[in-house]
Amino acid sequence: MSIELDSPRSVATASGRLSQRALTTRQAIADRLFRISLVAATLVFVAIIGGLFVELVQGSWDSIVAFGPAFLWSSEWNPVTNHFGALPFIFGTVVSSAIAIAVAGVVGISAAVFLAEFAPRAVARPISFLIELLAAVPSVVFGLWGLFVLAPILGHVADPFLQRYFGFLPIFSGTIYGIGLLTAGLLLALMIVPTVAAIARDLILAVPNELREASISLGATRWETATRVVLPSARAGILGACVLALGRALGETIAVTMVIGNRPAISASLFAPAYTLSSVIANEFTEATSSLYLSALLELGLILFIISVAVNGIARLMMWSMLRAQGRRP
Amino acid sequence: MVSSMDRTLGVSATQPEVKVRVRNLNVYYGQNHAIRDASLDVEKHRVTALIGPSGCGKTTFLRAINRMHDLTPSAKVTGCIEIDGVDVYSRDVDPIVMRRHVGMVFQRPNPFPMSIFENVAYGLRVNGERSRDRIADVAENSLRRAVLWDEVKDRLFESGAALSGGQQQRLCVARVLALRPDVILMDEPASALDPIATVKIEELIAQLREDYTVVIVTHSMAQAGRVSDRTAFFLDGMIVEVGPTNQIFTRPKDKRTEDYITGRFG
């Protein structure tokens, strides 16, 4: 191979090149060490997930053997007779979280669109800060507020109103207690709405301005631009934000425990008290007297774990298909 | 300063109609005086190129024509821009309605994250067109005019983002054509494209001249020479010289234009 003398790179002499090779070897070792440490750090997550799963299955093995798959659809929860079923708790968890994500999704995304697309900076800045502050409020504080403020308001004002005008719907029938499924769902919505709003706002702000300009230049209004171009551009990410929020709602324990009524019953009415998987574990773990009782509680934990993983998995699939539809690679 | 007063020079016997008349345009970004007292006549069914070094204000000038500066809170525009004799900055003009008549093609291809068909249909939809048949007709026509139809007719409902850069840019042209605008503004439409895609866009611009009035910003003098009938040379926010493209390139009257053309700066 010929060496061009006038090229500045080839000025290096033979010895220069040797020392360069030595450096390269050292770099290669450093590179490898670095990579191993990165892989190790990543594997920690795999180990945690795997370990959690194994531990939960082990702990709930007695219950799995005793009740079989019927555990999932049995409604009985009787520590005295040692009969346990998970259905009321699955119901409470799923319904309260569904209410929460429906409300928080609509409110959070609307607020995000307003803050990112319409609000003047002098308004958007302080409100965005407040939203982030709201996300930092401890859940027990939310629980207290829910018990002493939200529950009375719902019980005395909102629920009777709903019952009066929409009482023909089974979900708004029955006795009003103030605490119950609806209260828990709304409190959860309040707790997760900052997550949705803050992330969705950042995602909307990240939509390239060129898309807005293209839309405006075609005679679209700012509203049309926001709803038809900007939001669809960010929708895969916003779905991710909602799943993150939903994950928090599914697992939220203390605030829900304080306002849901803690009764393992399945009722069509949203006003009725209910119970969630996480609440029953928190409430009854210390008083689980028999090993089967303990095992059943752990199986509830396993179910919660599987629901969370499934929700995330489904959301991931939906995001992939959305990104594919937009022609981007996930 | 040479203004557009001498536009009669070198123009063919029939007096061309003026489509866009810009008078004493000033644009400020906060304290920055970006366009200084610029005046220009854009002739109908001609391609007018705006050339000049980076930061000379040619894009700012272009964006004043369809009031894109309305979106920038710090921007202030004074002066007069008339399209067919109507001042686009007058109180009676709704910028949203006005922009329908002034299409814009941007520096980087920016198709919407939706299907090829929906990209072209978008302008019609936001302007109130409901008839599916008509939207389909116009979309096909526009894609044909943008010389993209044959390449996309079998995948109209696939994402616009899946196209190549050059195809995306022609999709953006089709999107504009769907509204049958009077004027098409192009902001360095080929700067992000490879040479072959550039040629296609330039051929397209040459065809558009038959039905549309085109104003194109370009940093490439060669491109200005290839596609434009008239050229305006910008420097420091002012229009130094404007005239028929071949005259600007061969016999510039202003020393600064000559220096730029001959590559002494910029």
Side-chain angles (χ1 to χ4, degrees):
Chain A
M1 248 175 76
S2 71
I3 293 171
E4 289 171 57
L5 285 174
D6 54 351
S7 133
R9 272 197 170 181
S10 60
V11 172
T13 58
S15 66
R17 257 187 287 156
L18 273 180
S19 67
Q20 213 173 356
R21 186 174 302 160
L23 189 71
T24 319
T25 321
R26 206 154 15 115
Q27 276 174 331
I29 294 170
D31 275 3
R32 183 164 297 176
L33 279 177
F34 185 58
R35 204 159 79 192
I36 289 170
S37 61
L38 291 186
V39 169
T42 313
L43 285 177
V44 167
F45 294 95
V46 181
I48 290 173
I49 294 282
L52 261 175
F53 186 75
V54 168
E55 197 62 33
L56 280 169
V57 171
Q58 244 171 19
S60 54
W61 194 248
D62 285 355
S63 168
I64 293 172
V65 170
F67 304 110
F71 187 76
L72 291 174
W73 55 80
S74 162
S75 297
E76 198 184 347
W77 187 263
N78 193 335
V80 181
T81 61
N82 256 340
H83 267 83
F84 300 104
L87 194 62
F89 309 106
I90 296 174
F91 171 82
T93 294
V94 169
V95 174
S96 62
S97 295
I99 295 171
I101 197 62
V103 174
V106 172
V107 174
I109 294 169
S110 308
V113 170
F114 173 72
L115 290 174
E117 294 290 308
F118 296 101
R121 198 176 288 181
V123 176
R125 281 246 181 99
I127 294 185
S128 303
F129 175 70
L130 282 178
I131 287 174
E132 272 151 40
L133 210 64
L134 197 61
V137 174
S139 33
V140 68
V141 176
F142 269 110
L144 283 171
W145 183 85
L147 191 59
F148 291 113
V149 181
L150 185 65
I153 290 175
L154 286 175
H156 293 124
V157 185
D159 290 357
F161 174 85
L162 285 171
Q163 192 156 66
R164 186 161 166 202
Y165 293 101
F166 302 100
F168 57 89
L169 296 170
I171 53 169
F172 295 132
S173 62
T175 318
I176 292 168
Y177 300 92
I179 54 173
L181 209 43
L182 184 64
T183 313
L186 291 178
L187 186 64
L188 275 176
L190 204 73
M191 294 175 70
I192 65 175
V193 77
T195 309
V196 178
I199 300 180
R201 175 184 152 273
D202 289 349
L203 289 163
I204 291 169
L205 286 175
V207 171
N209 214 24
E210 294 150 12
L211 290 180
R212 291 185 186 86
E213 290 187 337
S215 171
I216 294 286
S217 77
L218 287 166
T221 61
R222 287 174 73 189
W223 167 250
E224 286 163 338
T225 302
T227 54
R228 293 183 183 216
V229 173
V230 177
L231 262 186
S233 308
R235 71 187 159 191
I238 290 175
L239 178 76
C242 288
V243 172
L244 202 69
L246 181 58
R248 187 174 172 202
L250 287 169
E252 175 52 44
T253 310
I254 187 69
V256 175
T257 310
M258 290 164 87
V259 298
I260 200 166
N262 299 333
R263 195 163 75 193
I266 297 173
S267 163
S269 171
L270 295 183
F271 301 148
Y275 221 156
T276 66
L277 291 162
S278 52
S279 295
V280 71
I281 296 171
N283 275 339
E284 301 188 6
F285 202 78
T286 47
E287 53 204 56
T289 42
S290 72
S291 67
L292 188 60
Y293 191 1
L294 194 64
S295 180
L297 285 172
L298 278 169
E299 192 174 351
L300 293 182
L302 178 65
I303 292 169
L304 183 58
F305 181 77
I306 291 170
I307 290 176
S308 304
V309 170
V311 163
N312 271 288
I314 292 166
R316 192 54 57 96
L317 288 176
M318 284 166 70
M319 274 162 75
W320 275 341
S321 73
M322 274 185 194
L323 289 173
R324 246 203 312 279
Q326 288 178 18
R328 282 191 250 155
R329 275 174 216 297
Chain B
M1 187 182 119
V2 183
S3 78
S4 54
M5 295 305 172
D6 57 354
R7 70 191 155 82
T8 44
L9 255 170
V11 171
S12 56
T14 53
Q15 185 74 1
E17 204 181 317
V18 174
K19 186 76 187 175
V20 184
R21 190 188 303 274
V22 181
R23 286 292 174 271
N24 307 105
L25 182 74
N26 285 280
V27 181
Y28 307 82
Y29 293 120
Q31 295 297 311
N32 177 15
H33 194 172
I35 294 288
R36 299 158 187 266
D37 226 23
S39 296
L40 177 72
D41 284 348
V42 175
E43 292 170 4
K44 193 172 181 176
H45 293 188
R46 295 278 187 280
V47 176
T48 303
L50 312 182
I51 63 167
S54 301
C56 67
K58 47 196 194 300
T59 295
T60 303
F61 182 91
L62 189 80
R63 292 164 67 93
I65 296 175
N66 67 340
R67 290 185 64 170
M68 290 304 274
H69 295 306
D70 289 12
L71 306 179
T72 315
S74 66
K76 197 183 112 196
V77 181
T78 68
C80 166
I81 298 178
E82 286 176 7
I83 298 178
D84 290 330
V86 178
D87 183 359
V88 299
Y89 282 92
S90 99
R91 260 161 210 271
D92 311 329
V93 170
D94 181 347
I96 288 158
V97 177
M98 180 273 288
R99 289 192 193 108
R100 191 195 161 139
H101 303 287
V102 187
M104 190 163 208
V105 178
F106 296 81
Q107 202 164 351
R108 281 200 301 171
N110 53 355
F112 299 128
M114 39 181 104
S115 72
I116 293 166
F117 178 82
E118 282 302 321
N119 262 282
V120 187
Y122 182 82
L124 295 168
R125 290 198 202 280
V126 297
N127 283 289
E129 180 61 61
R130 298 240 178 272
S131 156
R132 284 160 160 266
D133 291 346
R134 202 176 128 59
I135 289 176
D137 273 2
V138 174
E140 180 177 339
N141 267 324
S142 309
L143 286 167
R144 282 188 193 281
R145 281 303 312 263
V147 206
L148 189 60
W149 177 254
D150 290 335
E151 291 159 64
V152 302
K153 61 175 185 255
D154 299 323
R155 46 175 177 154
L156 286 176
F157 298 98
E158 285 174 31
S159 168
L163 298 173
S164 73
Q167 288 173 325
Q168 287 187 13
Q169 195 62 305
R170 276 177 283 145
L171 178 61
C172 293
V173 174
R175 180 169 75 182
V176 163
L177 296 182
L179 289 175
R180 310 203 136 276
D182 298 324
V183 182
I184 299 176
L185 310 175
M186 296 186 159
D187 185 4
E188 300 194 21
S191 66
L193 305 182
D194 63 66
I196 293 168
T198 301
V199 169
K200 286 188 178 171
I201 284 283
E202 289 179 0
E203 286 170 357
L204 178 55
I205 294 168
Q207 288 171 30
L208 292 177
R209 164 175 22 204
E210 293 163 19
D211 297 306
Y212 301 93
T213 303
V214 178
V215 185
I216 177 172
V217 166
T218 175
H219 64 266
S220 149
M221 282 184 287
Q223 185 171 64
R226 286 191 297 266
V227 303
S228 73
D229 304 296
R230 285 167 56 80
T231 294
F233 172 59
F234 280 69
L235 190 62
D236 295 333
M238 290 179 285
I239 298 180
V240 173
E241 186 169 354
V242 56
T245 299
N246 57 7
Q247 181 239 303
I248 292 280
F249 278 81
T250 53
R251 289 168 277 115
K253 285 189 226 137
D254 195 289
K255 181 77 173 66
R256 290 167 293 176
T257 315
E258 191 185 334
D259 285 351
Y260 182 68
I261 300 290
T262 54
R264 238 163 271 169
F265 69 93

